Amino acid sequence: SQQGEEDPQALSIQEGENATMNCSYKTSINNLQWYRQNSGRGLVHLILIRSNEREKHSGRLRVTLDTSKKSSSLLITASRAADTASYFCATDDSNYQLIWGAGTKLIIKP
Amino acid sequence: EPEVTQTPSHQVTQMGQEVILRCVPISNHLYFYWYRQILGQKVEFLVSFYNNEISEKSEIFDDQFSVERPDGSNFTLKIRSTKLEDSAMYFCASSEGSYNEQFFGPGTRLTVL
């Protein structure tokens, strides 16, 4: 079964606006991680939120986790052109591996 | 800041050839992983490695694949006889613990002709 399905698939906003991306998953998790990937490049770790946490902040990033709904959201505040990238959520299962969603492609228009 | 490194950045090979992709995980990390991403598709887990043995592997990781930690720093992925469908970006990752953040290398783009 697929874990970590993000929505929307694509999001285009003006610089300075906030961007919200959502992720849903199917099975129990230990933690959920958000990553960024610039086109054709590597995966950059953004935030890890554990199953017993509800919200976490890092700079302009805010992640929430609702285990009852099996969903998470990533909020980027005051977006910048450099935030243009694909954003993925990845959930772990009991066997350490990360299961990935298809990602949200975020475009920040100047 | 410590980071995961991978070499080469791009590997082109003929179908049927063997390739070895190399990774140097972050030095104090104990868990190592390989993932792949076929162009335009999701990142897929291949294998995790701890204490000099495979912890978990996916269905993709068949007998054509193997991993090794030949010394204290390198972590390699070998594909014995490459197929066209092995063309993908291969990412190595490492983490301190089993449920910690996984840090990824920049990837090796493998092209099988």
Side-chain angles (χ1 to χ4, degrees):
Chain A
S1 64
Q2 295 294 327
Q3 290 275 67
E5 297 294 335
E6 294 92 339
D7 81 87
Q9 290 185 331
L11 179 63
S12 181
I13 60 173
Q14 290 294 136
E15 194 168 19
E17 292 180 341
N18 296 341
T20 300
M21 290 159 273
N22 302 296
C23 167
S24 60
Y25 57 92
K26 291 186 169 61
T27 64
S28 297
I29 61 171
N30 293 293
N31 62 56
L32 184 146
Q33 305 186 46
W34 283 92
Y35 287 83
R36 184 184 75 226
Q37 184 180 38
N38 290 76
S39 180
R41 307 285 292 277
L43 294 153
V44 175
H45 185 268
L46 297 176
I47 280 189
L48 178 150
I49 185 164
R50 301 200 184 277
S51 59
N52 61 353
E53 296 175 311
R54 292 296 165 257
E55 189 170 309
K56 210 158 179 183
H57 297 255
S58 176
R60 293 183 296 113
L61 307 180
R62 173 176 163 251
V63 166
T64 63
L65 179 65
D66 187 335
T67 52
S68 67
K69 294 181 180 175
K70 292 188 167 59
S71 68
S72 173
S73 67
L74 169 67
L75 167 68
I76 304 175
T77 59
S79 62
R80 304 168 183 166
D83 295 330
T84 293
S86 289
Y87 291 82
F88 297 89
C89 72
T91 54
D92 70 328
D93 64 5
S94 58
N95 295 314
Y96 319 141
Q97 59 179 283
L98 289 180
I99 312 296
W100 298 75
T104 292
K105 187 167 286 192
L106 176 66
I107 297 171
I108 308 298
K109 296 180 285 189
Chain B
E1 189 173 323
E3 58 183 18
V4 177
T5 59
Q6 289 184 243
T7 54
S9 56
H10 193 185
Q11 173 95 45
V12 181
T13 190
Q14 294 290 327
M15 193 169 58
Q17 295 294 304
E18 175 184 286
V19 294
I20 297 177
L21 309 183
R22 291 184 165 78
C23 168
V24 179
I26 294 173
S27 61
N28 65 331
H29 285 186
L30 301 176
Y31 292 80
F32 315 115
Y33 313 85
W34 283 101
Y35 292 83
R36 79 171 186 193
Q37 185 180 32
I38 294 170
L39 187 64
Q41 296 188 24
K42 293 184 181 185
V43 177
E44 299 172 291
F45 170 79
L46 293 178
V47 66
S48 59
F49 192 86
Y50 169 71
N51 202 25
N52 280 320
E53 60 182 30
I54 290 174
S55 314
E56 185 68 19
K57 59 183 181 180
S58 70
E59 292 173 355
I60 302 167
F61 194 89
D62 61 21
D63 292 344
Q64 294 298 315
F65 291 86
S66 62
V67 289
E68 199 177 30
R69 189 153 162 82
D71 51 45
S73 59
N74 289 285
F75 179 51
T76 62
L77 174 69
K78 182 193 289 186
I79 309 175
R80 233 177 301 281
S81 176
T82 50
K83 308 184 190 81
L84 295 176
E85 54 265 36
D86 293 328
S87 293
M89 194 78 156
Y90 287 81
F91 293 104
C92 172
S94 68
S95 64
E96 281 186 23
S98 54
Y99 297 121
N100 291 80
E101 295 90 337
Q102 294 185 20
F103 293 92
F104 283 72
T108 292
R109 183 171 297 283
L110 176 65
T111 302
V112 182
L113 303 175

